Amino acid sequence: MRNTAKLTTAVLAAGALTLGLTACGADKDSASSDTSGPLIVAASPTPHAEILTYVRDNLAKKAGLDLEVKEFTDYVTPNTATEDGSVGANYFQNQPYLDDFNKKNGTHIVPVVTVHLEPLGLYSNKIEKADALKSGATIAVPNDTVNEARALKLLAANGLITLKDGAGNSATPADIAENPKNLKFKELEAAQTPRSLDDVDAAVVNGNYAIEADLKPAEDALVLEAPKNNPYGNFLAVKEGNEKDPRVTKLAKLLTSPEVKKFIEDKYAGSVLPSF
């Protein structure tokens, strides 16, 4: 993407190390009050950085917003960078994931505005229908707590497994009550799930990684999350205390504008759904 900064692995590691060295002394009231300069936003490449780039190139100048976009390919560094002030905001995650991340890492990230939903889907290079999965088939699932639970809920919603009563946002294969096809699960980093499609019978893939792998969730998924009452909408987030930063409020307004809604609908054709 033109003019969009891409971070190297070394920089990602440095950001994570910085958090590790400072987390013990982190203070949720220590968010920067300096609102001068550009707003730097950490984002997953697709669709988040693409949406932000559209805002930057078409809407930000008129709104008086100097916006910079930094791409991250993992689900950890955007939050650690937001916590330590390396970036002013991030746009890549949903509420269950953020709740789990804050709890485990002692961070103080809060949502500002929900922008879109990327439906989670089950994909395969070997079968064309979910009910064609054979006994003992292997399914790749994301290995982070929230997305693994989300994957299992998707399979349960489509009758492939049954989860135990009370299995929530931290469900694992150990919480499966019934598994009539004796499905096996291969736990992988979320970004690796689409790359595993030639090695497994099927894979549950997050919407952004599906799009990056040239999969079309609305067309290619064997089963897809329903958007109605879905708790996994993706939002703009900041460190607690920065919610009223005027740059953030400007961006929040732009991200939920009619122009952005049309951009999402036209570009992603149902694979990404506006949440406003």
Side-chain angles (χ1 to χ4, degrees), residues 58-71:
N58 296 276
L59 305 175
K61 184 175 180 180
K62 185 177 180 180
L65 175 64
D66 187 359
L67 178 63
E68 291 187 12
V69 184
K70 286 192 175 181
E71 292 184 13

PDB file of all heavy atoms in Angstrom, residues 58-71:
ATOM      1  N   ASN A  58      -8.715  10.245   1.302  1.00  0.00           N
ATOM      2  CA  ASN A  58      -9.928  10.847   0.756  1.00  0.00           C
ATOM      3  C   ASN A  58     -10.706  11.745   1.718  1.00  0.00           C
ATOM      4  O   ASN A  58     -11.464  12.599   1.270  1.00  0.00           O
ATOM      5  CB  ASN A  58     -10.867   9.743   0.254  1.00  0.00           C
ATOM      6  CG  ASN A  58     -10.284   8.958  -0.895  1.00  0.00           C
ATOM      7  OD1 ASN A  58     -10.374   9.362  -2.041  1.00  0.00           O
ATOM      8  ND2 ASN A  58      -9.678   7.817  -0.580  1.00  0.00           N
ATOM      9  N   LEU A  59     -10.538  11.530   3.027  1.00  0.00           N
ATOM     10  CA  LEU A  59     -11.401  12.238   3.985  1.00  0.00           C
ATOM     11  C   LEU A  59     -10.635  13.027   5.041  1.00  0.00           C
ATOM     12  O   LEU A  59     -11.140  14.026   5.555  1.00  0.00           O
ATOM     13  CB  LEU A  59     -12.316  11.229   4.702  1.00  0.00           C
ATOM     14  CG  LEU A  59     -13.180  10.319   3.811  1.00  0.00           C
ATOM     15  CD1 LEU A  59     -13.916   9.307   4.678  1.00  0.00           C
ATOM     16  CD2 LEU A  59     -14.147  11.130   2.971  1.00  0.00           C
ATOM     17  N   ALA A  60      -9.435  12.575   5.388  1.00  0.00           N
ATOM     18  CA  ALA A  60      -8.742  13.123   6.558  1.00  0.00           C
ATOM     19  C   ALA A  60      -8.364  14.596   6.384  1.00  0.00           C
ATOM     20  O   ALA A  60      -8.531  15.403   7.314  1.00  0.00           O
ATOM     21  CB  ALA A  60      -7.500  12.294   6.866  1.00  0.00           C
ATOM     22  N   LYS A  61      -7.841  14.960   5.234  1.00  0.00           N
ATOM     23  CA  LYS A  61      -7.365  16.327   5.046  1.00  0.00           C
ATOM     24  C   LYS A  61      -8.491  17.334   5.250  1.00  0.00           C
ATOM     25  O   LYS A  61      -8.322  18.355   5.935  1.00  0.00           O
ATOM     26  CB  LYS A  61      -6.770  16.497   3.643  1.00  0.00           C
ATOM     27  CG  LYS A  61      -6.162  17.868   3.398  1.00  0.00           C
ATOM     28  CD  LYS A  61      -5.481  17.926   2.035  1.00  0.00           C
ATOM     29  CE  LYS A  61      -4.876  19.308   1.795  1.00  0.00           C
ATOM     30  NZ  LYS A  61      -4.209  19.391   0.458  1.00  0.00           N
ATOM     31  N   LYS A  62      -9.645  17.064   4.675  1.00  0.00           N
ATOM     32  CA  LYS A  62     -10.790  17.971   4.810  1.00  0.00           C
ATOM     33  C   LYS A  62     -11.220  18.094   6.262  1.00  0.00           C
ATOM     34  O   LYS A  62     -11.687  19.151   6.711  1.00  0.00           O
ATOM     35  CB  LYS A  62     -11.948  17.487   3.949  1.00  0.00           C
ATOM     36  CG  LYS A  62     -13.139  18.427   3.937  1.00  0.00           C
ATOM     37  CD  LYS A  62     -14.224  17.921   2.998  1.00  0.00           C
ATOM     38  CE  LYS A  62     -15.426  18.874   3.000  1.00  0.00           C
ATOM     39  NZ  LYS A  62     -16.489  18.394   2.079  1.00  0.00           N
ATOM     40  N   ALA A  63     -11.058  17.000   7.028  1.00  0.00           N
ATOM     41  CA  ALA A  63     -11.442  16.998   8.441  1.00  0.00           C
ATOM     42  C   ALA A  63     -10.350  17.568   9.342  1.00  0.00           C
ATOM     43  O   ALA A  63     -10.542  17.653  10.563  1.00  0.00           O
ATOM     44  CB  ALA A  63     -11.794  15.586   8.885  1.00  0.00           C
ATOM     45  N   GLY A  64      -9.218  17.939   8.774  1.00  0.00           N
ATOM     46  CA  GLY A  64      -8.123  18.486   9.571  1.00  0.00           C
ATOM     47  C   GLY A  64      -7.385  17.433  10.369  1.00  0.00           C
ATOM     48  O   GLY A  64      -6.844  17.724  11.444  1.00  0.00           O
ATOM     49  N   LEU A  65      -7.337  16.208   9.851  1.00  0.00           N
ATOM     50  CA  LEU A  65      -6.681  15.101  10.557  1.00  0.00           C
ATOM     51  C   LEU A  65      -5.443  14.657   9.792  1.00  0.00           C
ATOM     52  O   LEU A  65      -5.510  14.309   8.613  1.00  0.00           O
ATOM     53  CB  LEU A  65      -7.644  13.920  10.689  1.00  0.00           C
ATOM     54  CG  LEU A  65      -7.070  12.632  11.291  1.00  0.00           C
ATOM     55  CD1 LEU A  65      -6.642  12.850  12.739  1.00  0.00           C
ATOM     56  CD2 LEU A  65      -8.088  11.500  11.195  1.00  0.00           C
ATOM     57  N   ASP A  66      -4.304  14.654  10.489  1.00  0.00           N
ATOM     58  CA  ASP A  66      -3.063  14.123   9.940  1.00  0.00           C
ATOM     59  C   ASP A  66      -2.954  12.676  10.407  1.00  0.00           C
ATOM     60  O   ASP A  66      -2.736  12.402  11.593  1.00  0.00           O
ATOM     61  CB  ASP A  66      -1.873  14.952  10.436  1.00  0.00           C
ATOM     62  CG  ASP A  66      -0.562  14.557   9.770  1.00  0.00           C
ATOM     63  OD1 ASP A  66      -0.567  13.630   8.939  1.00  0.00           O
ATOM     64  OD2 ASP A  66       0.467  15.171  10.092  1.00  0.00           O
ATOM     65  N   LEU A  67      -3.148  11.746   9.491  1.00  0.00           N
ATOM     66  CA  LEU A  67      -3.261  10.330   9.834  1.00  0.00           C
ATOM     67  C   LEU A  67      -2.121   9.531   9.228  1.00  0.00           C
ATOM     68  O   LEU A  67      -1.816   9.670   8.048  1.00  0.00           O
ATOM     69  CB  LEU A  67      -4.599   9.796   9.318  1.00  0.00           C
ATOM     70  CG  LEU A  67      -4.906   8.311   9.535  1.00  0.00           C
ATOM     71  CD1 LEU A  67      -4.994   7.975  11.023  1.00  0.00           C
ATOM     72  CD2 LEU A  67      -6.216   7.944   8.823  1.00  0.00           C
ATOM     73  N   GLU A  68      -1.474   8.694  10.060  1.00  0.00           N
ATOM     74  CA  GLU A  68      -0.458   7.756   9.591  1.00  0.00           C
ATOM     75  C   GLU A  68      -0.911   6.341   9.911  1.00  0.00           C
ATOM     76  O   GLU A  68      -1.480   6.090  10.978  1.00  0.00           O
ATOM     77  CB  GLU A  68       0.897   8.026  10.244  1.00  0.00           C
ATOM     78  CG  GLU A  68       1.559   9.321   9.795  1.00  0.00           C
ATOM     79  CD  GLU A  68       2.967   9.474  10.338  1.00  0.00           C
ATOM     80  OE1 GLU A  68       3.511   8.464  10.865  1.00  0.00           O
ATOM     81  OE2 GLU A  68       3.513  10.586  10.271  1.00  0.00           O
ATOM     82  N   VAL A  69      -0.644   5.421   8.987  1.00  0.00           N
ATOM     83  CA  VAL A  69      -1.066   4.031   9.147  1.00  0.00           C
ATOM     84  C   VAL A  69       0.163   3.141   9.225  1.00  0.00           C
ATOM     85  O   VAL A  69       1.052   3.229   8.374  1.00  0.00           O
ATOM     86  CB  VAL A  69      -1.954   3.582   7.970  1.00  0.00           C
ATOM     87  CG1 VAL A  69      -2.472   2.163   8.207  1.00  0.00           C
ATOM     88  CG2 VAL A  69      -3.113   4.552   7.764  1.00  0.00           C
ATOM     89  N   LYS A  70       0.227   2.297  10.255  1.00  0.00           N
ATOM     90  CA  LYS A  70       1.306   1.318  10.374  1.00  0.00           C
ATOM     91  C   LYS A  70       0.708  -0.080  10.381  1.00  0.00           C
ATOM     92  O   LYS A  70      -0.181  -0.376  11.168  1.00  0.00           O
ATOM     93  CB  LYS A  70       2.118   1.548  11.660  1.00  0.00           C
ATOM     94  CG  LYS A  70       3.034   2.762  11.582  1.00  0.00           C
ATOM     95  CD  LYS A  70       4.014   2.790  12.746  1.00  0.00           C
ATOM     96  CE  LYS A  70       5.008   3.934  12.581  1.00  0.00           C
ATOM     97  NZ  LYS A  70       5.995   3.969  13.676  1.00  0.00           N
ATOM     98  N   GLU A  71       1.214  -0.913   9.516  1.00  0.00           N
ATOM     99  CA  GLU A  71       0.696  -2.276   9.402  1.00  0.00           C
ATOM    100  C   GLU A  71       1.416  -3.240  10.345  1.00  0.00           C
ATOM    101  O   GLU A  71       2.639  -3.202  10.469  1.00  0.00           O
ATOM    102  CB  GLU A  71       0.858  -2.781   7.973  1.00  0.00           C
ATOM    103  CG  GLU A  71      -0.014  -2.074   6.967  1.00  0.00           C
ATOM    104  CD  GLU A  71       0.110  -2.672   5.579  1.00  0.00           C
ATOM    105  OE1 GLU A  71       0.675  -3.779   5.464  1.00  0.00           O
ATOM    106  OE2 GLU A  71      -0.345  -2.034   4.619  1.00  0.00           O
TER     107      GLU A  71
END
